Amino acid sequence: MLATIRSGALLGLDAYAVEVEVDIAMGLPQFATVGLPEGAVKESKDRVKSAIKNSGYEFPARRITINLAPADIRKDGAAFDLPIAVGLLAATDVIRSINDKRFLILGELSLDGRVKPVKGVLPIAVGARHWELDGLIVPAENAAEGALVDGLPVYGVSTLGELVDFLNGANPLTACQVDTAALFNQAAQHAEDFAEVCGQENAKRALEIAAAGGHNLLMIGPPGSGKTMLARRLPTILPAQSFEEALECTKIHSVLGQLPQRNALIARRAFRSPHHTVSDAGLIGGGTIPRPGEVSLAHNGVLFLDELPEFKKNVLEMLRQPLEDGQVTISRAATSLTYPATFMLIAAMNPCPCGYLGDPQHNCNCTPLMTQRYNTRLSGPLLDRIDLHVEVPRVQYRDLATPSGGESSVMIRARVDQARAVQRERLKAFGLHANAQMQTRHITKFCKVDAAGDKLLEMVTDRLGFSARTYTRILKVARTIADLAACEQIDQSHLAEAIQYRSLDRRKG
């Protein structure tokens, strides 16, 4: 007796079809799983056996062989429990005419027959659209996640018995529907607002420029000056995500099983803030079977690193590739996987170990050597990849006592959207959408300066010893400042403002 059930698995973010072949033969009772199964897949035999018995069906006491094809790719996770159980019941004629129904089945089984949620339903659903299927059967808690993909009916089941009745035609199920417009409307409502920030006009201006051009930013200031408060409000002024961007972010969260239970779609731009004790695998990604890290979870959003010098130096240096390429490649002996990692890096640090260097109201207890060692924890190549360095001083009492903090996020976001629209139109022929993504050939074409601006750049570059990368960063930031001012040409004032956002370079000079 042989039955074949369609299922799926993931290799990174890409799905591939898996055929679960179940063969029941005469002989001593045995349950063998082949096809390079990992630990969780090997253990499925005990879960499947108990689930079948506790659901009121008879488990065949014969020689059982399960093959997961293709057999040359390692399979992990518990999502094969449900297709294996269905295959066993189909092979014993409990489920009739299973081969006439082209369903892809995923799900983990509990010992009492309940179907539990699994990871990676969305990317599998995206791939399954091209596999000529009649529908996708997943745990009820994953149904909304799979239903985000158009063109493929998704059915959620809660128990093994419910699925058996559905496949036998005794219990029809309704395909899950998701209102994506409602999810985007809900994501547009933010709990934070820039109007709550008192003072710090220079820092808010820098964040507006960063949002308008997609630039990386470093805030330097004493404890309590509002660096974290400012960073957490940055997503409120970023352009809204498109459905394609939201779908890509949701796939990454789905692979890690980090989707919120109530929201099937990550419609709001991500804001990730890992602790400074994070490991390189936690930040970049890794593991025996490579998984996405924080840089991928922040894809299309913001990665905030507070207390930047406190991070391990080797961890920070690993940020170089994703900052330049917008993706991260993790290589292991068995496989090499690439995950998207296009994010805005927002970092914060103190001016010295105690945090009070230059603060008129507190004495700094750090020696020059201590301050130098603290600042040298950040390498020059990493700082070159951060477009804006802005100082965030202590907030004065008159600013704290002001009833209103200033402009709201809605007002700032309107200007950001206008600047982004100009950039998309300018760069659409190159497949880019923000000034921060421009390469040398784009800068040469779109960042031309007049004679006065050229003279200013020559003076500060020679005097401060700017690197070539710093020079191009200044031009890109100046291009964004000009876009916010609705100016086609970059003039001297735009360049001067861009140069002032290189405070660490000016200190070295």
Side-chain angles (χ1 to χ4, degrees):
M1 293 177 286
L2 177 68
T4 301
I5 307 300
R6 297 171 179 84
S7 189
L10 293 174
L11 197 59
L13 292 182
D14 299 322
Y16 63 94
V18 176
E19 286 190 349
V20 180
E21 299 174 327
V22 179
D23 178 68
I24 302 179
M26 300 298 294
L28 294 174
Q30 182 182 356
F31 196 117
T33 304
V34 297
L36 291 182
E38 294 292 335
V41 182
K42 292 179 181 178
E43 294 172 353
S44 65
K45 63 181 181 181
D46 299 313
R47 294 190 297 271
V48 168
K49 182 176 181 179
S50 297
I52 289 177
K53 287 184 175 180
N54 291 326
S55 296
Y57 307 108
E58 182 179 354
F59 186 84
R62 298 183 183 179
R63 183 184 181 89
I64 299 171
T65 303
I66 309 293
N67 179 42
L68 305 177
D72 59 341
I73 303 177
R74 292 191 178 276
K75 321 295 189 311
D76 67 324
F80 296 111
D81 289 3
L82 193 56
I84 289 174
V86 170
L88 287 170
L89 294 175
T92 55
D93 292 329
V94 174
I95 298 177
R96 301 173 296 278
S97 304
I98 185 65
N99 292 325
D100 297 335
K101 301 178 176 66
R102 298 179 301 173
F103 289 115
L104 187 145
I105 302 175
L106 296 167
E108 178 184 347
L109 284 171
S110 63
L111 300 185
D112 60 358
R114 287 180 294 110
V115 181
K116 304 174 73 173
V118 295
K119 302 175 182 177
V121 169
L122 178 59
I124 292 177
V126 171
R129 289 183 299 180
H130 311 291
W131 297 347
E132 297 182 357
L133 298 170
D134 295 327
L136 183 65
I137 298 175
V138 299
E141 295 181 36
N142 294 124
E145 176 185 344
L148 292 172
V149 180
D150 294 330
L152 185 67
V154 177
Y155 303 93
V157 294
S158 300
T159 64
L160 177 60
E162 182 183 5
L163 176 56
V164 171
D165 292 341
F166 170 65
L167 294 175
N168 283 330
N171 180 29
L173 296 176
T174 302
C176 181
Q177 301 291 331
V178 175
D179 187 354
T180 55
L183 292 175
F184 274 103
N185 290 335
Q186 181 182 358
Q189 308 299 321
H190 292 273
E192 300 90 2
D193 196 286
F194 263 96
E196 301 165 348
V197 181
C198 299
Q200 303 296 9
E201 298 303 324
N202 187 51
K204 287 192 281 189
R205 168 66 175 173
L207 284 168
E208 180 181 340
I209 295 169
H215 302 289
N216 303 319
L217 180 143
L218 171 63
M219 292 181 285
I220 309 160
S225 58
K227 301 186 294 294
T228 303
M229 184 180 186
L230 287 162
R232 290 192 177 278
R233 281 152 180 77
L234 178 59
T236 67
I237 62 173
L238 290 175
Q241 285 196 124
S242 65
F243 178 75
E244 290 73 20
E245 288 178 325
L247 200 63
E248 193 172 22
C249 296
T250 307
K251 285 170 62 176
I252 299 171
H253 284 75
S254 176
V255 167
L256 293 174
Q258 294 188 8
L259 279 181
Q261 292 185 354
R262 294 184 179 181
N263 295 329
L265 184 70
I266 306 295
R268 185 179 300 169
R269 293 198 180 271
F271 181 87
R272 303 294 300 185
S273 180
H275 193 260
H276 64 259
T277 57
V278 67
S279 65
D280 51 358
L283 186 65
I284 303 299
T288 305
I289 300 177
R291 297 293 187 187
E294 291 289 341
V295 296
S296 296
L297 288 170
H299 181 58
N300 291 331
V302 176
L303 177 68
F304 177 53
L305 302 184
D306 199 6
E307 304 295 342
L308 186 64
E310 300 300 331
F311 284 78
K312 297 176 184 177
K313 191 166 186 177
N314 67 304
V315 173
L316 291 179
E317 294 306 307
M318 289 183 176
L319 287 172
R320 292 191 195 180
Q321 182 207 1
L323 284 174
E324 287 291 331
D325 303 336
Q327 61 184 21
V328 58
T329 300
I330 307 169
S331 298
R332 295 292 181 266
T335 185
S336 178
L337 299 177
T338 299
Y339 292 107
T342 302
F343 58 91
M344 286 179 59
L345 174 63
I346 306 298
M349 62 178 285
N350 296 328
C352 66
C354 75
Y356 295 114
L357 179 66
D359 190 334
Q361 299 181 3
H362 293 83
N363 293 325
C364 175
N365 299 319
C366 305
T367 64
L369 181 60
M370 293 170 60
T371 302
Q372 182 183 7
R373 287 178 177 173
Y374 180 76
N375 289 325
T376 52
R377 294 180 188 178
L378 306 178
S379 68
L382 178 62
L383 290 176
D384 278 349
R385 287 170 170 81
I386 299 177
D387 303 343
L388 298 97
H389 309 156
V390 58
E391 296 185 0
V392 185
R394 180 176 303 279
V395 182
Q396 301 298 318
Y397 172 77
R398 62 177 179 273
D399 294 323
L400 292 173
T402 302
S404 175
E407 287 185 302
S408 67
S409 294
V410 174
M411 298 170 65
I412 300 174
R413 183 174 174 177
R415 295 195 296 269
V416 169
D417 287 339
Q418 290 178 357
R420 283 288 185 106
V422 171
Q423 295 165 43
R424 283 193 298 269
E425 181 65 26
R426 180 191 299 130
L427 300 170
K428 66 180 181 180
F430 305 95
L432 308 177
H433 58 79
N435 288 334
Q437 299 175 318
M438 290 193 297
Q439 303 297 324
T440 303
R441 64 183 183 276
H442 311 127
I443 295 171
T444 303
K445 183 175 182 179
F446 300 118
C447 299
K448 297 178 180 178
V449 297
D450 55 19
D454 186 66
K455 186 176 181 180
L456 175 63
L457 276 176
E458 181 183 3
M459 180 182 66
V460 298
T461 301
D462 292 342
R463 179 178 298 177
L464 301 180
F466 286 164
S467 67
R469 183 179 285 116
T470 301
Y471 171 77
T472 58
R473 300 279 174 182
I474 291 174
L475 286 176
K476 288 194 284 187
V477 172
R479 178 69 268 174
T480 300
I481 295 171
D483 291 338
L484 282 169
C487 295
E488 181 65 26
Q489 183 75 20
I490 299 175
D491 62 30
Q492 190 174 3
S493 63
H494 304 144
L495 286 169
E497 185 176 1
I499 292 168
Q500 78 161 351
Y501 294 125
R502 304 296 303 185
S503 61
L504 293 183
D505 296 316
R506 287 188 281 114
R507 286 183 187 177
K508 294 175 185 177

